[in-house]
Amino acid sequence: MPADLTRSQTTGSPLAELREGDLLWTPSPERVASTNLAAFTDWVQRRYEREFPTYQHLWAWSVEETEPFWEAIWAYFGVRASQPYLQVLDGTRMPDVKWFRGARLNFAEHILRNEDPGRPALFYAGERAPLTTMGWDEFAGAVRAAATGLRELGVRPGDRVVGYLPNVPEAVVSMVATAAIGAVWAACSPDFGVGGALDRFGQLEPTVLIYADSYEYGGKTFDRSSQGREIAAQLTTLRAVVCVRAAGAAGSPAMEGAMEWSEFLDHPRVSPEEFEFEQVPFDQPLWVLFSSGTTGIPKAIVHGHGGIVLEQLKLQHLHMDLSPGDTAFFHTTTGWMMWNFLVSGMLQGVRPVLYDGNPAHPEVDVLWRIAQDSRVRFFGASPTYVELMERAGVVPRERFDLSALDAVMPAGSPVGPWCTKWFYDNVKTDLWVATGSGGTDCCTGFVGGVPTLPVYAGEIQAPSLGVAARAFNEDGESVVDEVGELVITKPMPSMPVTFWGDDDGTRYRAAYFEDYPGVWRHGDFFRVNQRNGCFVLGRSDATLNRQGVRIGTAEIYRAVEAMEEVAGAIVVNLDLPNGRFFMPLFVQLHEGQVLNEELKTRIRDRLRAEYTPRHVPDRIVQVPSIPMTRTGKKMEVPVRRLLLGSELKDVAYPDAMEDSTALDALVAYRDSQNDYTVA
């Protein structure tokens, strides 16, 4: 494997060589024995009279005997259903399968069954709001009041409730209350423009809009009252609008006819015994998540009550090793699947920590302070955040008491060896780095942490239980130690119920099952090694294919973005007529840096030395900003389409972008250069 030099450590130590696959941490025998996974393995062995001496044996059983495994998950976690299931799995060929036919249950009921008066339900903080506890009394009471309010507004099972909300407790209450009555939840954060919100909500014909009048970011208050009014005016199916005063900061008066949040909750207190959860079929729509929307109207991905309950209980208890009363944090917004993921920890009685605002404001280390004060056990962060910490010289172990911290999860983009090691150098030496990768599509991780296994640099520990993740070559054959397509060969309960409005399933099938019939193609480059360690190497539909050799973009980013002058990079390969190709690399440099010939030469030399000559771009171009989605994904496919001649309006929606002007420089480059010709 090519060497991946670690970045300069904040202690001032020189660069040290670190190779992909270097052993960084091994759990002690005592730790292994105390994990939830160990307890589950013992229980399964007794129940099914089987022996699973290693995680690999347990995983193989979970994907080879799909029905017994998911039946075991249902039984182990005591899933509560008003009607029992008649059959675990009806059908075997994806996507034409049905899970737990006949069962009726409710996602919200599984959260509120953890209600524990006098104990914290969640924590929340904002840029101007100190860390605050919301107890179960307040949280569960608010959920029942909001659910009662929705019912009184005429909201029925299957109706849609949408939230234009920041990451605040009112958003969690609204989502859980919506689920409690069998309605369907969808949200986006208020930093979305009106167009971006309507692209999402307009597909759903919602009955209720819950919006924030303002939000805080980077020390500024952003009034969203006019946006709320415009969104409401264009959602002609609305029966009611509710206004939330976000983070205690008032914007303009609520729009005419809108209820204040306090008015919405103003109902006689309903006791747990009196409240009725709507009992719905296993695959009843729970919420709608949206694709990034970089190439058109975002896909409205529908998940069901039962699939999310099972998947999240399995993932958070067995793979994240979380238990009731533990505290977990991930910096997110309501418009990213990680928000749904974080809140779903409440199914297990885990207390989520919500933070609304810039992750580096009011101080660059604010998230670590929150982790200290809330005694976070599990901390989620993106590689981009780790880069921010390193460049700011933040060494969390020197500033904060992180004695409660047990595990971290880098996720959101490919994680290189240097990122894995950063946590051991700067946070804790005895720490489980549970790197994960999955997607909005199934609202879970396909590959990720296993608390009983060692951690190797840059390597995701293993496929998750029940996830038949493989690397397929172009012939549809499973390969090891070769880069291929990430596929899932067996069905999972949290696979989408449908895309909203895709009544005959045409778009759903085209999205995942067109290339390998009966097999889910996820769209990521993927590699599995001999010990079943995993590497997710970037989007395969933005694959660099040079002279028949496929290259993952993450390899190029790993090398180029490790250079101190480079703030970010994006690379695409253009397939041109007559077998030609052209691969430009666009770089954003730190302030004061210039892309001169000396730097270009060093970039090329580094790529050639660490990888192959095929990794060297044909042209290196400086741009003001790297095009990225709001969830931090590089927009490789839109950039490629743009450079091949597509119109800007046809390749990206500005409201879906972190910087709505980031593509302008690439348009100017395309229109003014002579580096390549399309025809």
Side-chain angles (χ1 to χ4, degrees):
M1 294 294 174
D4 179 22
L5 298 181
T6 60
R7 298 159 187 253
S8 298
Q9 299 301 307
T10 55
T11 58
S13 62
L15 288 173
E17 187 174 281
L18 172 70
R19 290 187 175 272
E20 182 179 272
D22 283 354
L23 179 64
L24 297 179
W25 178 82
T26 301
S28 68
E30 295 77 16
R31 180 175 181 133
V32 168
S34 67
T35 64
N36 297 329
L37 182 60
F40 174 75
T41 303
D42 289 344
W43 181 87
V44 169
Q45 289 180 143
R46 293 193 304 271
R47 181 182 177 94
Y48 292 94
E49 298 182 344
R50 301 287 296 268
E51 290 294 328
F52 302 116
T54 67
Y55 175 80
Q56 178 68 15
H57 289 89
L58 180 65
W59 174 79
W61 172 76
S62 77
V63 297
E64 290 165 5
E65 300 189 36
T66 305
E67 291 188 58
F69 171 72
W70 288 106
E71 180 183 44
I73 293 295
W74 180 291
Y76 187 76
F77 289 104
V79 172
R80 185 176 297 177
S82 60
Q83 290 185 20
Y85 59 84
L86 303 174
Q87 186 177 5
V88 174
L89 182 61
D90 184 1
T92 57
R93 184 180 174 85
M94 295 183 286
D96 301 315
V97 299
K98 297 282 284 186
W99 286 97
F100 292 92
R101 184 169 54 83
R104 299 186 75 87
L105 73 170
N106 188 284
F107 168 89
E109 184 175 8
H110 286 81
I111 287 183
L112 264 63
R113 72 175 178 174
N114 296 296
E115 185 173 350
D116 190 356
R119 296 183 66 84
L122 58 82
F123 298 93
Y124 63 97
E127 290 185 359
R128 299 183 186 179
L131 184 70
T132 305
T133 301
M134 189 176 198
W136 270 109
D137 278 345
E138 182 182 0
F139 175 76
V143 167
R144 287 189 285 268
T148 300
L150 290 172
R151 281 171 167 157
E152 290 185 356
L153 290 170
V155 180
R156 298 291 178 259
D159 287 347
R160 277 74 64 203
V161 176
V162 296
Y164 187 62
L165 295 167
N167 186 19
V168 292
E170 291 89 343
V172 183
V173 169
S174 298
M175 185 271 281
V176 178
T178 299
I181 66 170
V184 185
W185 173 257
C188 69
S189 54
D191 55 348
F192 275 76
V194 172
L198 289 173
D199 284 345
R200 291 157 172 78
F201 297 160
Q203 300 181 58
L204 307 181
E205 299 180 316
T207 57
V208 174
L209 166 68
I210 304 174
Y211 82 100
D213 69 333
S214 63
Y215 71 95
E216 301 284 327
Y217 196 85
K220 298 179 181 178
T221 299
F222 294 86
D223 189 331
R224 305 306 274 177
S225 301
S226 62
Q227 287 82 357
R229 285 193 292 272
E230 189 171 346
I231 292 167
Q234 296 194 50
L235 295 176
T236 58
T237 55
L238 291 178
R239 298 176 194 162
V241 177
V242 179
C243 177
V244 173
R245 303 294 184 187
S252 302
M255 71 183 74
E256 184 177 353
M259 287 186 288
E260 296 282 356
W261 179 255
S262 58
E263 178 186 359
F264 178 55
L265 297 187
D266 188 15
H267 302 283
R269 185 178 178 87
V270 180
S271 70
E273 296 75 23
E274 295 171 316
F275 184 79
E276 293 185 8
F277 294 94
E278 188 71 30
Q279 299 299 302
V280 298
F282 185 89
D283 58 0
Q284 169 82 5
L286 166 65
W287 57 49
V288 177
L289 299 180
F290 298 95
S291 65
S292 58
T294 56
T295 58
I297 296 293
K299 295 191 294 289
I301 302 168
V302 181
H303 293 124
H305 278 246
I308 293 297
V309 166
L310 285 181
E311 178 59 41
Q312 291 297 326
L313 286 172
K314 178 212 75 175
L315 183 73
Q316 303 215 20
H317 190 66
L318 303 181
H319 287 283
M320 296 168 66
D321 202 36
L322 291 169
S323 298
D326 285 341
T327 304
F329 172 82
F330 205 105
H331 182 255
T332 182
T333 72
T334 57
W336 187 18
M337 58 87 50
M338 290 307 301
W339 184 82
N340 302 70
F341 178 93
L342 178 66
V343 173
S344 292
M346 299 182 80
L347 292 165
Q348 185 67 23
V350 173
R351 300 176 297 199
V353 181
L354 315 177
Y355 178 73
D356 185 53
N358 186 320
H361 189 87
E363 297 89 21
V364 70
D365 56 7
V366 62
L367 300 188
W368 296 106
R369 184 172 302 282
I370 289 172
Q372 168 191 269
D373 294 347
S374 59
R375 297 196 58 76
V376 160
R377 182 164 180 257
F378 197 100
F379 184 95
S382 68
T384 303
Y385 179 73
V386 174
E387 290 182 34
L388 172 66
M389 293 296 96
E390 186 182 47
R391 287 182 171 133
V394 174
V395 181
R397 62 179 166 79
E398 294 179 353
R399 303 189 185 190
F400 303 103
D401 174 9
L402 299 175
S403 56
L405 184 65
D406 184 66
V408 294
M409 181 172 68
S413 59
V415 176
W418 73 269
C419 182
T420 319
K421 191 171 187 296
W422 183 89
F423 289 102
Y424 292 103
D425 290 341
N426 297 279
V427 180
K428 267 186 165 182
T429 55
D430 186 16
L431 185 70
W432 172 34
V433 180
T435 305
S437 182
T440 300
D441 315 75
C442 294
C443 197
T444 190
F446 295 133
V447 294
V450 179
T452 58
L453 295 181
V455 172
Y456 298 93
E459 184 173 315
I460 302 172
Q461 287 177 289
S464 298
L465 293 174
V467 183
R470 313 281 185 183
F472 268 20
N473 63 18
E474 292 179 351
D475 297 322
E477 301 166 331
S478 182
V479 294
V480 175
D481 283 327
E482 294 180 28
V483 175
E485 293 278 357
L486 172 57
V487 300
I488 310 297
T489 61
K490 293 290 185 72
M492 297 166 53
S494 69
M495 285 176 171
V497 174
T498 186
F499 291 167
W500 195 269
D502 183 28
D503 296 335
D504 62 0
T506 299
R507 287 191 295 136
Y508 181 40
R509 291 173 185 275
Y512 307 114
F513 299 101
E514 203 167 60
D515 295 305
Y516 306 108
V519 173
W520 173 290
R521 174 186 174 274
H522 191 61
D524 277 338
F525 245 178
F526 187 56
R527 176 163 58 88
V528 182
N529 62 22
Q530 293 289 341
R531 59 171 170 255
N532 222 25
C534 302
F535 304 84
V536 178
L537 302 171
R539 295 296 294 174
S540 60
D541 48 12
T543 296
L544 310 178
N545 190 334
R546 306 202 74 189
Q547 300 171 336
V549 177
R550 298 192 294 177
I551 301 169
T553 55
E555 294 176 328
I556 290 178
Y557 300 146
R558 185 181 305 155
V560 174
E561 294 179 347
M563 302 177 72
E564 61 181 12
E565 298 93 342
V566 179
I570 189 166
V571 65
V572 295
N573 191 59
L574 309 180
D575 294 307
L576 304 175
N578 302 317
R580 296 177 296 120
F581 57 86
F582 180 75
M583 190 171 86
L585 170 68
F586 301 94
V587 295
Q588 176 187 353
L589 302 183
H590 289 295
E591 187 175 354
Q593 300 292 332
V594 177
L595 184 65
N596 53 30
E597 289 304 317
E598 187 270 338
L599 178 56
K600 290 180 183 179
T601 298
R602 285 197 289 116
I603 290 173
R604 294 188 184 104
D605 289 348
R606 186 182 183 107
L607 288 168
R608 186 179 291 108
E610 293 193 19
Y611 294 105
T612 73
R614 295 185 181 91
H615 287 74
V616 178
D618 297 302
R619 184 74 65 193
I620 305 174
V621 181
Q622 184 175 351
V623 293
S625 179
I626 298 300
M628 301 179 74
T629 69
R630 288 180 177 272
T631 57
K633 296 185 184 298
K634 294 182 179 180
M635 298 171 61
E636 295 162 328
V637 174
V639 167
R640 185 174 64 186
R641 292 180 60 203
L642 189 72
L643 295 180
L644 288 173
S646 295
E647 294 295 324
L648 180 58
K649 63 180 177 61
D650 295 329
V651 303
Y653 277 61
D655 282 331
M657 296 174 60
E658 185 176 277
D659 177 356
S660 62
T661 67
L663 288 171
D664 294 349
L666 281 83
V667 173
Y669 165 75
R670 179 195 67 188
D671 293 344
S672 64
Q673 56 76 47
N674 296 310
D675 288 336
Y676 67 96
T677 54
V678 176

